[in-house]
Amino acid sequence: MNELEILDPRFRAYVLPNAPLVKLGEGFAWLEGPVWFADLNCLLVSDLPNDRIMRWTEDGGLSIFRKPSGFANGHTRDRQGRLIGCSHRHRCITRTELDGSITVLADHYDGKRLNSPNDIVCRSDGTIWFSDPHYGINTDYEGGKQTAELPSALYRLDPSDGGLRVMADDFVGPNGLAFSPNERLLYVAESGPQFAADPERHIRVFDVLDDGERLAGGRVFHTVTPGFADGFRVDQDGNVWSSAGDGVHCIAADGTKLGRIKVPFTVSNLTFGGRNRSRLFICASHTLFAIYTNQRGAQQP
Ligand code: MG
């Protein structure tokens, strides 16, 4: 298949030469925040500027899951399987309860409003980690212009007591994030100032210390080009599958770019799902794609 670019022999074992890149839907504004529900055999994904969350199933195709969505962006699931999400407009983290009601888990830090939570992940201890850049309140397009009250930061929320802590704040635009399979590493995209002509953009890697109480390090792990890493997922072997301007880049834990799945539009976010977590769902601007791989996503949603 011409959708694959092999840059390192290791990549051959992770992809399927006969698996096509399939278009699942188009006509969106800008897709982000995909999350897979294996129990429901469905994908949820944010159509961010259209203020809605879409649902996709193999048999039923696409439908609206929630509108308005509060300009929802990133999603994940907690250890009880509940939907956890980021709202640009309402500047908060939410949890959708099993009865369908929505609980705001965090919207302030130190007496000031969060900016526009962007992407989110849960650790196996139940803590919720999310990035809070200014992107969503910089424009009316992705949530509505509002005044920032806090610097960009990476937060850790303990939903058992509501405790919210800044884990790192030396960021210009923290964005996607994911733990390594053993949760000893945390990858965080830094996507730079929104309106700069040539912003510095890369994925950083932190050491997770003291059972998730502290981060150290934060060196540049990999610089994605062309485009940049908005969101990414880690597979069961610890490779990072990142969004890029020309598709999905697979990056080994040693930082080597192993290969690429070519996608015709800029990719923002992606997630593993489907049968055995081996199908990659790809948010590419206004179009949703999927492709089966020969690799499985890590257990994290
Ligand atoms: Mg993002």
Side-chain angles (χ1 to χ4, degrees), residues 32 73 118-119 175-176 230-231 268-269:
E32 294 212 45
N73 189 339
N118 188 292
D119 215 342
N175 205 319
D230 185 326
S268 61
N269 288 180

Coordinates of all heavy atoms in Angstrom, one line a residue, residues 32 73 118-119 175-176 230-231 268-269, ligand 1:
E32 N -10.8 16.5 16.8 CA -9.8 16.2 17.9 C -10.4 15.2 18.9 O -11.6 14.9 18.8 CB -9.3 17.4 18.6 CG -8.5 18.4 17.7 CD -7.5 19.2 18.5 OE1 -6.8 18.6 19.3 OE2 -7.4 20.4 18.3
N73 N -12.7 19.2 23.6 CA -11.4 18.9 22.9 C -11.0 17.5 23.2 O -11.7 16.5 22.8 CB -10.3 19.9 23.2 CG -9.1 19.7 22.3 OD1 -8.9 18.7 21.7 ND2 -8.3 20.8 22.1
N118 N -6.9 21.1 27.1 CA -6.7 20.6 25.7 C -6.8 19.1 25.6 O -7.5 18.6 24.8 CB -5.4 21.2 25.2 CG -5.2 21.0 23.7 OD1 -5.1 19.9 23.3 ND2 -5.3 22.1 23.0
D119 N -5.9 18.5 26.4 CA -5.9 17.0 26.2 C -5.7 16.4 27.6 O -5.2 17.0 28.5 CB -4.7 16.6 25.3 CG -5.1 15.4 24.4 OD1 -6.0 14.7 24.8 OD2 -4.4 15.2 23.4
N175 N 0.2 20.4 25.1 CA -0.9 19.9 24.3 C -1.1 18.4 24.6 O -1.5 18.1 25.7 CB -0.5 20.2 22.8 CG -1.7 20.3 21.9 OD1 -2.7 19.6 22.0 ND2 -1.7 21.2 21.0
G176 N -0.9 17.5 23.6 CA -1.2 16.1 23.8 C -0.3 15.5 24.9 O 0.8 16.0 25.1
D230 N 0.3 17.3 17.8 CA -0.8 17.9 18.6 C -1.1 16.8 19.7 O -1.0 17.0 20.9 CB -2.0 18.2 17.7 CG -3.1 18.9 18.4 OD1 -3.4 18.5 19.6 OD2 -3.8 19.7 17.7
G231 N -1.6 15.7 19.2 CA -1.9 14.6 20.1 C -1.2 13.3 19.6 O -0.8 13.2 18.5
S268 N -4.4 15.8 13.6 CA -4.4 16.5 14.9 C -4.2 15.5 16.0 O -3.3 15.6 16.9 CB -5.6 17.3 15.1 OG -6.8 16.5 15.1
N269 N -5.1 14.5 16.1 CA -5.1 13.5 17.1 C -5.4 12.1 16.5 O -5.9 12.0 15.4 CB -6.2 13.8 18.1 CG -6.0 15.0 19.0 OD1 -6.8 15.3 19.9 ND2 -4.9 15.7 18.8
Ligands
MG1 MG -4.6 19.0 21.3

